[in-house]
Amino acid sequence: MVFSSLLNAMPGAVAQGLIWGIMAIGVYITFRVLDVADLTVDGTMALGGAVSIMLMTKGCNVWIAMLAALAAGLLAGMVTGIFHTFMGIPAILAGILTQLSLYSVNLKIMGKANQAINVDKYDLLVSLRYIKGVFFTKNTIFVVAIFLVVVIALLYWFFGREIGCAIRATGCNGQMARAQGINTNICKVIGLMLSNGLVALSSALLAQYQGFADVNMGRGAIVIGLAAVIIGEAIFGNLFRNFALKLLAVGFGSILYYFVLQIVIWFGIDTDLLKMLSALVVAVFLGIPYLKGKYLRKPVKRGGQGNA
């Protein structure tokens, strides 16, 4: 009977994992593709929800509201990019400055710290109520899975084009990219915009799913995003070599993260410790490659040695 409560919670974990998976793909673009530490996402994760919820409460169509959320995320990423590239501010500090500014922006957008939206009054794409007992085309898991697949397909197409390849080259080796005539500053700005646009899109879906937008809903989002990236790489890294499959691995990593979270809650561990546990998970998975290389690497025999 107790185990059944865990099974009942798993569909919700899948839905949240898919929603946060879109956000984690945004983190992957900056963290792995662009090789930039961007902390803007904590603010953008609240921005997308705030913009979409407020527009829908004013009578705006849900699709237009989500496009507006995407646009707001693109603008937030552009601000961070301008701070970093054209003003010479280190990337991590530029993200913090934008994130700090977005707290005030989000408060102004919503008028207060929290803004609710009722699924009975508004035509939402996803909702906590749409997990069970609805036709599959309206099921939140199905809808968000389609979103995730479309996002991955579009990114795979984009990063196969000239501008996408330029962004990947900038993240791989900025000096070599500049030597090839690539404007690395523009590439960084575009990469940051794309990343934060996806984060805001994920935020718009999350706000609909949970039925409210909150000014603090993005707090710690970067940790969840990194956890999804690291878990996905650790488990599926040797299997998924294609770029699209790497993005899919990030989505799977997000789902696994929420599976683990549900199991932790099921075991009765204090929920106040969840953020710390998430940080520890990220730290462990980030440290494994270094520790493996340092302590488990076999010594290489040098030429001439051992032939006495």
Side-chain angles (χ1 to χ4, degrees):
M1 191 69 177
V2 178
F3 186 69
S4 65
S5 64
L6 177 62
L7 292 177
N8 289 332
M10 283 307 174
V14 174
Q16 288 193 75
L18 287 169
I19 292 172
W20 282 90
I22 297 173
M23 178 268 180
I25 289 174
V27 172
Y28 181 88
I29 291 173
T30 52
F31 184 61
R32 287 301 190 210
V33 177
L34 205 56
D35 195 24
V36 169
D38 180 31
L39 295 182
T40 313
V41 295
D42 280 21
T44 315
M45 196 60 196
L47 176 65
V51 169
S52 61
I53 292 297
M54 291 308 297
L55 284 175
M56 282 187 284
T57 55
K58 299 297 182 183
C60 189
N61 178 273
V62 63
W63 290 103
I64 297 176
M66 292 187 65
L67 284 174
L70 175 64
L74 293 172
L75 287 174
M78 184 176 68
V79 171
T80 300
I82 291 172
F83 281 163
H84 173 49
T85 59
F86 296 102
M87 297 181 67
I89 300 173
I92 191 166
L93 182 55
I96 292 172
L97 291 174
T98 307
Q99 175 199 134
L100 185 64
S101 302
L102 286 175
Y103 186 87
S104 298
V105 171
N106 294 333
L107 278 176
K108 282 296 182 183
I109 290 173
M110 293 190 292
K112 54 183 180 180
N114 185 289
Q115 193 69 246
I117 189 165
N118 194 324
V119 67
D120 295 326
K121 296 181 179 179
Y122 299 93
D123 186 21
L124 306 183
L125 282 178
V126 297
S127 172
L128 184 59
R129 294 192 196 176
Y130 298 160
I131 294 293
K132 299 175 183 178
V134 295
F135 194 62
F136 82 96
T137 56
K138 197 171 180 63
N139 187 285
T140 294
I141 295 175
F142 176 79
V143 173
V144 182
I146 294 298
F147 263 93
L148 187 67
V149 170
V150 170
V151 165
I152 291 174
L154 289 175
L155 288 176
Y156 183 70
W157 172 84
F158 175 79
F159 280 104
R161 306 277 75 75
E162 183 177 353
I163 182 62
C165 291
I167 293 172
R168 295 170 74 175
T170 298
C172 184
N173 190 324
Q175 291 183 340
M176 181 63 71
R178 285 190 291 273
Q180 299 298 319
I182 296 173
N183 189 326
T184 55
N185 285 341
I186 295 296
C187 287
K188 287 180 180 179
V189 172
I190 293 174
L192 287 164
M193 289 176 67
L194 190 59
S195 170
N196 284 279
L198 290 175
V199 173
L201 179 64
S202 171
S203 174
L205 288 168
L206 181 63
Q208 292 178 60
Y209 175 79
Q210 63 190 14
F212 67 90
D214 188 274
V215 72
N216 290 315
M217 66 187 284
R219 182 171 292 178
I222 186 64
V223 176
I224 298 175
L226 286 174
V229 172
I230 300 304
I231 291 172
E233 288 181 338
I235 296 177
F236 304 104
N238 292 329
L239 298 174
F240 294 172
R241 298 291 186 178
N242 180 272
F243 182 71
L245 292 178
K246 287 181 178 180
L247 297 179
L248 185 62
V250 173
F252 286 157
S254 180
I255 295 172
L256 290 173
Y257 171 83
Y258 272 93
F259 273 177
V260 173
L261 209 60
Q262 286 297 331
I263 293 171
V264 167
I265 294 172
W266 181 65
F267 274 117
I269 296 176
D270 188 355
T271 53
D272 292 341
L273 300 177
L274 291 180
K275 295 290 187 184
M276 183 182 72
L277 290 172
S278 300
L280 290 175
V281 167
V282 174
V284 168
F285 276 99
L286 282 173
I288 283 174
Y290 170 78
L291 295 174
K292 187 188 295 184
K294 184 175 183 180
Y295 296 108
L296 299 181
R297 185 172 53 195
K298 294 181 180 179
V300 179
K301 291 184 180 181
R302 297 182 180 274
Q305 291 182 354
N307 296 321

